[in-house]
């Protein structure tokens, strides 16, 4: 999904498109892999877009609530963010030594999700599955 489509969805939700939100969406859209709030902040500073860390966290939280952004948790305890739409549902693998992240463009949980729904009578909205191991350079 391109940035203009994301901004349209933001406006449709009744939220204003501030400079900070536009810049954050642009940064996330341009990132191939999930990035931390600190990385978003650093890229804003590099682009001479003044925004403090609180602004970054507040906006990322809002974008997540609006389902424009996904959060991804890894073993280091830091949440990372990526654009929600326009990307096929996928999971990630992270190197336990260097922290490198790679997309896994697959999801083997479709049948498990159906079993969970049947057993619990919940309607599953989403799930998270992350893998950890060692990349070829760190083995």
């Amino acid at each position: 999904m391109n940035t203009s489509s994301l901004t349209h969805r933001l406006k449709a939700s009744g939220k204003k498109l501030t400079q900070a939100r536009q810049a954050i969406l642009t940064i996330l859209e341009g990132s191939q892999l999930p990035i931390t709030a600190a990385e978003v902040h650093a890229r804003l500073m590099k682009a001479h877009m003044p925004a403090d860390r609180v602004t970054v966290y507040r906006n990322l939280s809002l974008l997540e609530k609006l389902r424009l952004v996904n959060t991804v948790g890894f073993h280091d305890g830091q949440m990372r963010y990526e654009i929600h739409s326009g990307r096929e549902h996928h999971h990630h693998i992270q190197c336990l030594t260097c922290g490198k992240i790679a997309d896994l463009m697959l999801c083997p949980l479709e049948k498990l999700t159906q079993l969970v729904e049947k057993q619990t009578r919940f309607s599953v909205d989403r799930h998270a599955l992350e893998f950890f191991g060692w990349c070829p350079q760190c083995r």
Side-chain angles (χ1 to χ4, degrees), residues 21-73:
R21 287 180 190 149
Q22 176 70 50
I24 290 168
L25 286 170
T26 300
I27 288 168
L28 291 173
E29 175 96 301
S31 180
Q32 293 293 331
L33 296 170
I35 59 175
T36 66
E39 290 169 319
V40 171
H41 182 256
R43 292 180 189 187
L44 287 171
M45 295 299 100
K46 188 175 180 181
H48 305 291
M49 176 68 197
D52 59 27
R53 287 180 189 254
V54 172
T55 299
V56 171
Y57 280 105
R58 190 179 326 112
N59 279 288
L60 287 170
S61 177
L62 172 69
L63 295 170
E64 179 188 12
K65 285 178 189 169
L66 295 175
R67 300 193 50 129
L68 297 175
V69 168
N70 285 333
T71 56
V72 182

